[in-house]
Amino acid sequence: MDTSQQNSDDDSALSNLTVKQRIFFVVLVATMGALAFGYDTGIISGALPFMTLPLDQGGLNLTPFTEGLVTSSLIFGAALGAFLSGYFSDRFGRRITLRSLALIFVLGAIGTALAPNLHVMVAMRFLLGIAVGGGSSTVPVFIAEIAGPKRRAPLVSRNELMIVSGQLLAYVVSAVMSFTLNDPHLWRYMLAMAMIPGALLFIGTFFVPASPHWMVAEGRIKEASRILHKLRETPREVKKEMTEMRQHAKAARQGPSARELLQEKWILRLLLVGAGLGIVIQFTGVNAFMYYTPVILKTTGMGTNASIAATIGNGIVSVLATMVGIKAVGRFGRRTMLMTGLTVVIAMQLVLGCVLLLMPQDMTQSIFALAAILVFLFFMQMCISPVYWLLMSELFPMKVRGVLTGAAVSFQWICNAAVAFAFPPLLSATGNGAFFIFAAINVGSLIFVITMLPETKGKSLEQIENEMRERFSEQEQDQQTA
């Protein structure tokens, strides 16, 4: 658990920094987990071509089936990691959980780089996935509880920026290494580099404070107050936030236990909203575009090298869009951004389907198809992805925040796997009509957001919890009177 001695070390490490600098440092350390997340999910696309080579040429002699096994093992590990980390995050604290995940990142990266055969590779990718999934559910919650109401939206959104930056870094590393290194074990170097952000995360957790929200929930009021004084501009902010947290913690202690709370109907309804958001983000088809852009573009007659180069374009657009999204999420409501993003996503999927079905195969078709994909990705990464991770840090009650966030994010990873597995056979069976199917699914997602998602902008985590309880308890009362 987080100790008093650790907090003393934190104070000395951050004592010479301003409040903004302290928070920036904490967010930077935490998002090393997101950078590792992005790099690990992106680097496999560059490593796989070399891993498919025969054993005597330095590869693992992968077949199409085992390629899918290696790729998907991380996704399944991520689903388990997201679920388990929720429990550990609530039990032992966000910081200790991140430190443990950092060790798994390092061990997983070393294990994949040294894997002598397919079985070890799959096992190590699964282990790495546990860290990826655990980080994806723990980092946003930790940042949200550190940042405070005013800074929460843009700072939690930096998590998404680091994810897409990690993916872009992976694409660039793959391209540079493949052109500059003539080594049969090139893929091992690509995978080994994933240990760097994991190591930085591990070291950094010794210099950041614990979550004051978690401290108050554990009854460690003085320690929480001392931490909060280091992270807020004025004593008035500290007093207001501490009052809210103490009142909330008192009510939580007098209320049902965490086990009993998980059985309440309003909590289950809220969890279904979180799971529904996992469907929203993944069934946009974003990973179909990220994983299979070269395949899509090759159907237009674009060459193999040009199609692969376009994947770097995906990474650049994602980073730029997320930077814009960080600014936008602090100014516009969560619902507004999601509805805007989904509307453009639907339009671009319809455009892409029409371009591929109606235009002749030539360079003009390739350009229009690529343009539709890039506009899709821009609005996806600006309006949908950052808001999803922000909502995962906001929606759930403090007493079971880690568990519910872990469960919702775990379901999101399952949806990720479903889309990744389903897209190639769907494309084969329906041809370019697959994009019209995604558009129809996203119309359903848009209706879900309009009818089910509450607005959380500008509210403290305690205010959000109270409003969620009232909103979803009222639904139960309305059903009983009906």
Side-chain angles (χ1 to χ4, degrees):
M1 288 192 184
D2 296 312
T3 63
S4 300
Q5 180 61 47
Q6 173 74 63
N7 292 328
S8 299
D9 295 340
D10 299 335
D11 291 344
S12 61
L14 302 178
S15 59
N16 295 325
L17 303 178
T18 66
V19 169
K20 287 184 178 180
Q21 289 171 335
R22 288 178 194 134
I23 293 179
F24 175 81
F25 178 77
V26 173
V27 172
L28 181 64
V29 168
T31 52
M32 284 297 105
L35 185 69
F37 168 177
Y39 185 88
D40 285 320
T41 54
I43 197 62
I44 196 66
S45 64
L48 275 177
F50 301 97
M51 294 167 67
T52 57
L53 295 174
L55 293 172
D56 58 2
Q57 296 181 28
L60 292 179
N61 198 29
L62 299 183
T63 65
F65 173 77
T66 54
E67 277 189 72
L69 191 61
V70 168
T71 303
S72 62
S73 57
L74 183 139
I75 299 175
F76 289 115
L80 178 63
F83 185 78
L84 293 178
S85 69
Y87 167 78
F88 286 101
S89 177
D90 282 344
R91 179 69 179 85
F92 300 106
R94 322 308 186 201
R95 181 176 58 177
I96 293 297
T97 302
L98 283 176
R99 187 176 300 162
S100 303
L101 291 170
L103 285 175
I104 299 175
F105 268 122
V106 173
L107 292 174
I110 295 173
T112 55
L114 299 178
N117 54 50
L118 172 66
H119 300 94
V120 176
M121 174 59 72
V122 170
M124 289 298 101
R125 286 277 294 174
F126 186 84
L127 180 67
L128 199 56
I130 291 175
V132 168
S136 70
S137 65
T138 307
V139 171
V141 169
F142 181 61
I143 296 175
E145 293 179 350
I146 287 288
K150 292 192 300 183
R151 295 188 174 98
R152 187 172 66 242
L155 289 181
V156 173
S157 298
R158 290 178 189 271
N159 179 66
E160 174 66 17
L161 177 61
M162 293 297 269
I163 292 172
V164 295
S165 297
Q167 290 172 335
L168 175 58
L169 178 63
Y171 300 147
V172 172
V173 165
S174 297
V176 170
M177 282 191 172
S178 62
F179 278 108
T180 59
L181 295 181
N182 184 20
D183 191 312
H185 299 290
L186 174 62
W187 59 272
R188 296 187 184 275
Y189 307 143
M190 293 181 183
L191 299 180
M193 287 185 65
M195 67 180 291
I196 297 174
L200 292 175
L201 175 62
F202 179 77
I203 295 169
T205 57
F206 289 93
F207 300 96
V208 298
S211 161
H213 288 258
W214 183 82
M215 284 283 194
V216 171
E218 291 291 299
R220 297 161 66 175
I221 306 300
K222 290 183 179 180
E223 292 172 84
S225 178
R226 186 158 50 81
I227 291 170
L228 211 58
H229 274 89
K230 300 286 185 180
L231 299 173
R232 299 295 179 264
E233 299 282 358
T234 64
R236 183 179 179 182
E237 286 182 86
V238 175
K239 183 178 180 181
K240 179 183 178 183
E241 205 166 331
M242 282 298 300
T243 299
E244 284 186 346
M245 287 191 291
R246 292 182 69 173
Q247 290 175 346
H248 192 76
K250 182 179 179 181
R253 284 193 294 271
Q254 294 173 348
S257 67
R259 186 182 297 273
E260 293 169 336
L261 189 61
L262 288 171
Q263 296 173 356
E264 294 194 8
K265 289 185 177 180
W266 75 272
I267 287 288
L268 296 178
R269 289 191 176 91
L270 187 56
L271 179 58
L272 287 176
V273 171
L277 289 169
I279 295 175
V280 169
I281 188 174
Q282 290 300 337
F283 279 83
T284 54
V286 61
N287 282 320
F289 287 101
M290 293 300 284
Y291 298 157
Y292 301 110
T293 290
V295 175
I296 296 169
L297 293 178
K298 284 179 71 175
T299 65
T300 70
M302 184 179 283
T304 301
N305 290 341
S307 300
I308 293 174
T311 306
I312 296 179
N314 284 357
I316 294 172
V317 166
S318 295
V319 171
L320 293 176
T322 305
M323 292 173 71
V324 176
I326 289 173
K327 298 289 185 183
V329 80
R331 299 180 61 182
F332 302 104
R334 320 307 191 226
R335 284 166 48 85
T336 300
M337 290 190 67
L338 280 177
M339 289 187 288
T340 300
L342 285 168
T343 301
V344 176
V345 159
I346 293 166
M348 288 303 101
Q349 286 166 334
L350 294 174
V351 168
L352 181 60
C354 291
V355 165
L356 295 176
L357 281 173
L358 303 178
M359 292 183 68
Q361 282 193 0
D362 55 21
M363 184 55 67
T364 302
Q365 186 195 42
S366 299
I367 292 172
F368 274 96
L370 181 58
I373 291 172
L374 293 181
V375 172
F376 166 93
L377 284 175
F378 188 87
F379 278 84
M380 176 72 203
Q381 303 292 14
M382 178 178 69
C383 297
I384 300 177
S385 293
V387 173
Y388 170 80
W389 294 111
L390 178 56
L391 286 168
M392 287 302 98
S393 74
E394 294 178 332
L395 281 179
F396 303 118
M398 176 65 216
K399 188 179 285 188
V400 288
R401 183 171 295 147
V403 171
L404 294 186
T405 302
V409 173
S410 178
F411 181 75
Q412 176 266 158
W413 280 106
I414 294 172
C415 293
N416 182 326
V419 172
F421 278 128
F423 184 73
L426 179 66
L427 192 62
S428 175
T430 65
N432 295 319
F435 300 106
F436 297 116
I437 295 174
F438 274 118
I441 293 172
N442 285 307
V443 170
S445 293
L446 181 59
I447 294 171
F448 170 81
V449 169
I450 292 171
T451 57
M452 293 298 297
L453 185 68
E455 183 56 66
T456 59
K457 181 179 183 293
K459 300 170 184 174
S460 71
L461 294 174
E462 287 71 29
Q463 288 175 319
I464 293 171
E465 179 172 338
N466 291 334
E467 290 186 16
M468 294 303 105
R469 180 184 287 104
E470 291 175 9
R471 177 189 178 95
F472 292 101
S473 295
E474 284 175 3
Q475 288 184 4
E476 181 179 352
Q477 294 168 5
D478 291 342
Q479 289 177 0
Q480 291 174 349
T481 52

